[in-house]
Amino acid sequence: MEARGGWRHAASPRLPLLLLLLLLVSCLVVQPCQADDIVHDDTLAPSQPGCSNSFVLVKIRTWIKGEEDSEIVGVSARFGKLIADHEQGKTSVPLSKLDPEDGCTDSIKPLQGFTALVERGNCTFTTKARTAQKAGAVALLVVNDKQELYKMICSENDTFHDIIIPSVLLPKAAGEHLEEALDSNNEVRVLHYSPKRTMVDIAEVFLWLMALGTILSASFWSAWTAKESAQEHYRRLKELPELPAEDLVEARDPEKANKDVIDINVLSAVLFVLMASAFLMLLYFYMSAWFMRVLVILFCIGGFEGLQTCLVSLLYRWFPKAGKKFIKVPLLGEVSVLALFLSPFCLAFSVVWGVFRLNSYAWIGQDVLGMALILTVLQIVRLPNIKVAAILLGCAFLYDVFWVFISPTFFHESVMIVVARGDKSDGEGIPMLLKVPRLYDPWGGYSIIGFGDILLPGLLVSFCLRYDWTARKSLFRGYFLWSTVGYGLGLFITYVALNAMNGSGQPALLYIVPCTLGTVLLLGWWRGELKSLWFKGDSLDQFPVDGEQDHHPVGRSPE
């Protein structure tokens, strides 16, 4: 049987091994989260009387010589007055340095009605806040000695109810820009506030539709391919007398006849999650700019392969002759004319995205390549039964919860979220995720979902559709509809939890696995079909063939 992906034998190890590698990497980031969390309720930071505020990101509008300058983003302190969430009704106030500039001793310059600007170091943050407040300042801005934002906590054992002015830490470059303006005797005015995120952004709706649409497309593609394989197998069975002897074994064996598919077994399901954990730790400890470039290159290669496979399979219906005609290419072997014709476009698309991946519009190319890769993986990798599905999704469920919620106990931060945000790679996140810019969010950023949150449940939903077709079940009496509804509901609950937690990362499989796998298991038990789902699954020799539905199953002799 000729492969739709462009190579005569899709079972050739090149494509599957590469895609399986990317499948492993893509499942490292498996929770939707925002690009920047605006509220950090840090349980590790000391909480003392008057020092228990949540850390929030703060917008600081600036004016220099009466003209509005660039906006700065800082982070509030554990102590002092809470930052207002809006700027309406507030007016800008002048900015001035303390004297001495470190704010560690009483200022010789009064700052009544001013916002004080000090440099980090030489004393505690709370000492600086008390010094600025004593000088009459209405707020305190602290310039960090590094570009990263750190959390201002109360290091000494004391009470801090006496600090009533808000304090904000600024990144080094932004603080130095303000200092230079003040040193040049320019009037500088500032206005700070911390706007709240909108409860629902249209980006989350788009992302929900993209994830659900990808799984539905992959499921029907997988089922139609399985049906075509069954038809081909049935045709070859009828031609047994005419086949050469060496082809008889393959023709009688439905598993060998369906060479384009890799079935996951119990061992590989467990090893997959263990390898994903090991790779996640590797990224956490050794993530760097060069490591990120390696992942980008792998993603571009996988995206190229996935995009070409999807386009060839789509256009094959209209150009069957080009899909069946093969040309021998050095190093690649026999490649169809259709695949050869589409390769330059797919390669150019992947390379252009890789070059311009940091631009604001690059998310479009990333989503196209990502969805193509997911579709191709779900076409190649399949679950044979619910037993393997339960083990794979159960392990992934524990993996997700551990690395998001439990890992801070051992690493003092969520390993999954740190890797997803790219904290150790100059802020560039892993490309193995779908993302949509938040349109109505005052903080901007993206709504994202990791490939694993689509791939792993997608394997189950695809299995359910194939099982329904082999068992000749109607839509409502089958499992595909309810597993799809369960996935949509689980992802919806994830976004509800995401918004309820002020944008902090959520392990999506915590909600998706019970809604999908739990639904299928419960329905199977209720209908008395759980044993068939658990062991039997979908077999090629049971697949209905056009024109043969009323006869014996494919590959079996009529009684």
Side-chain angles (χ1 to χ4, degrees), residues 278-506:
F279 206 96
L280 181 63
M281 292 301 299
L282 180 66
L283 288 175
Y284 177 72
F285 285 111
Y286 298 103
M287 176 68 78
S288 60
W290 70 266
F291 203 148
M292 184 59 62
R293 292 190 185 96
V294 172
L295 293 181
V296 168
I297 292 172
L298 287 175
F299 177 74
C300 288
I301 296 173
F304 160 71
E305 300 260 22
L307 186 60
Q308 178 186 252
T309 300
C310 292
L311 290 178
V312 168
S313 298
L314 180 64
L315 296 178
Y316 180 86
R317 309 289 178 179
W318 289 276
F319 305 99
K321 292 183 179 180
K324 292 179 179 179
K325 185 177 181 180
F326 288 81
I327 298 176
K328 193 169 184 179
V329 179
L331 302 179
L332 297 180
E334 292 185 326
V335 180
S336 72
V337 173
L338 185 58
L340 201 60
F341 177 78
L342 292 172
S343 292
F345 166 77
C346 298
L347 181 61
F349 192 95
S350 301
V351 171
V352 168
W353 175 84
V355 173
F356 297 99
R357 67 186 184 279
L358 300 181
N359 290 16
S360 59
Y361 51 81
W363 64 273
I364 301 174
Q366 180 170 328
D367 288 351
V368 171
L369 294 174
M371 287 188 290
L373 180 57
I374 292 172
L375 287 169
T376 304
V377 171
L378 289 177
Q379 171 70 8
I380 294 174
V381 182
R382 296 183 185 177
L383 295 172
N385 51 50
I386 288 297
K387 176 184 177 181
V388 177
I391 293 173
L392 176 63
L393 290 176
C395 291
F397 174 90
L398 297 176
Y399 165 91
D400 216 1
V401 172
F402 177 84
W403 290 114
V404 175
F405 286 152
I406 303 178
S407 61
T409 305
F410 304 96
F411 302 95
H412 305 296
E413 57 187 349
S414 175
V415 173
M416 183 80 75
I417 294 178
V418 168
V419 173
R421 285 197 308 239
D423 291 358
K424 300 181 180 182
S425 58
D426 297 330
E428 182 178 357
I430 289 179
M432 284 71 175
L433 48 85
L434 303 184
K435 57 194 295 187
V436 177
R438 297 177 63 87
L439 301 178
Y440 301 106
D441 192 326
W443 292 99
Y446 296 87
S447 289
I448 65 175
I449 182 171
F451 285 0
D453 297 332
I454 304 174
L455 279 169
L456 298 181
L459 290 171
L460 175 62
V461 176
S462 297
F463 164 81
C464 290
L465 181 58
R466 295 194 306 272
Y467 180 85
D468 288 353
W469 283 19
T470 58
R472 299 170 176 84
K473 288 184 173 293
S474 64
L475 182 63
F476 289 97
R477 294 185 63 84
Y479 296 91
F480 168 70
L481 173 64
W482 306 115
S483 61
T484 303
V485 171
Y487 178 77
L489 177 62
L491 192 56
F492 172 77
I493 295 174
T494 302
Y495 285 118
V496 171
L498 187 67
N499 287 300
M501 300 295 178
N502 294 306
S504 62
Q506 292 294 304

Side-chain angles (χ1 to χ4, degrees), residues 74-396:
V75 63
S76 67
R78 190 78 162 163
F79 51 85
K81 184 180 179 181
L82 296 176
I83 307 293
D85 59 6
H86 55 83
E87 61 175 328
Q88 285 77 12
K90 297 184 65 176
T91 58
S92 62
V93 297
L95 181 70
S96 180
K97 291 184 179 181
L98 284 175
D99 188 8
E101 294 183 359
D102 60 5
C104 293
T105 57
D106 290 349
S107 176
I108 61 177
K109 180 170 64 174
L111 294 180
Q112 193 69 35
F114 280 74
T115 292
L117 182 69
V118 300
E119 294 181 352
R120 180 184 179 182
N122 300 332
C123 60
T124 63
F125 292 120
T126 50
T127 298
K128 298 177 186 292
R130 286 177 170 135
T131 299
Q133 182 174 295
K134 186 176 181 180
V138 296
L140 172 67
L141 301 182
V142 181
V143 181
N144 196 16
D145 55 0
K146 296 181 180 179
Q147 189 60 23
E148 295 82 4
L149 290 174
Y150 290 93
K151 299 172 181 177
M152 294 191 291
I153 62 175
C154 307
S155 55
E156 66 270 35
N157 188 14
D158 198 357
T159 60
F160 305 92
H161 289 295
D162 59 308
I163 301 178
I164 59 174
I165 64 172
S167 300
V168 180
L169 185 71
L170 306 181
K172 180 180 180 180
E176 290 178 346
H177 176 65
L178 294 178
E179 288 180 331
E180 291 174 1
L182 291 174
D183 292 340
S184 300
N185 295 322
N186 294 321
E187 181 191 26
V188 179
R189 300 182 71 87
V190 295
L191 172 63
H192 64 269
Y193 65 106
S194 180
K196 293 183 178 180
R197 292 192 185 276
T198 55
M199 286 299 295
V200 179
D201 192 273
I202 194 66
E204 293 169 355
V205 178
F206 284 141
L207 205 58
W208 186 88
L209 292 173
M210 286 168 57
L212 193 61
T214 301
I215 285 182
L216 289 174
S217 301
S219 299
F220 280 101
W221 186 10
S222 175
W224 276 110
T225 303
K227 185 176 181 180
E228 289 177 349
S229 298
Q231 291 173 337
E232 177 70 12
H233 179 54
Y234 181 77
R235 182 186 63 80
R236 292 174 67 84
L237 283 176
K238 293 196 299 183
E239 297 173 355
L240 280 180
E242 304 174 10
L243 289 177
E246 59 270 17
D247 293 341
L248 290 177
V249 175
E250 179 180 320
R252 289 196 178 103
D253 189 344
E255 298 301 326
K256 291 184 178 180
N258 197 16
K259 297 182 295 184
D260 299 353
V261 174
I262 299 175
D263 281 335
I264 300 176
N265 56 35
V266 172
L267 179 61
S268 61
V270 176
L271 288 178
F272 168 76
V273 177
L274 293 177
M275 291 175 64
S277 296
F279 206 96
L280 181 63
M281 292 301 299
L282 180 66
L283 288 175
Y284 177 72
F285 285 111
Y286 298 103
M287 176 68 78
S288 60
W290 70 266
F291 203 148
M292 184 59 62
R293 292 190 185 96
V294 172
L295 293 181
V296 168
I297 292 172
L298 287 175
F299 177 74
C300 288
I301 296 173
F304 160 71
E305 300 260 22
L307 186 60
Q308 178 186 252
T309 300
C310 292
L311 290 178
V312 168
S313 298
L314 180 64
L315 296 178
Y316 180 86
R317 309 289 178 179
W318 289 276
F319 305 99
K321 292 183 179 180
K324 292 179 179 179
K325 185 177 181 180
F326 288 81
I327 298 176
K328 193 169 184 179
V329 179
L331 302 179
L332 297 180
E334 292 185 326
V335 180
S336 72
V337 173
L338 185 58
L340 201 60
F341 177 78
L342 292 172
S343 292
F345 166 77
C346 298
L347 181 61
F349 192 95
S350 301
V351 171
V352 168
W353 175 84
V355 173
F356 297 99
R357 67 186 184 279
L358 300 181
N359 290 16
S360 59
Y361 51 81
W363 64 273
I364 301 174
Q366 180 170 328
D367 288 351
V368 171
L369 294 174
M371 287 188 290
L373 180 57
I374 292 172
L375 287 169
T376 304
V377 171
L378 289 177
Q379 171 70 8
I380 294 174
V381 182
R382 296 183 185 177
L383 295 172
N385 51 50
I386 288 297
K387 176 184 177 181
V388 177
I391 293 173
L392 176 63
L393 290 176
C395 291

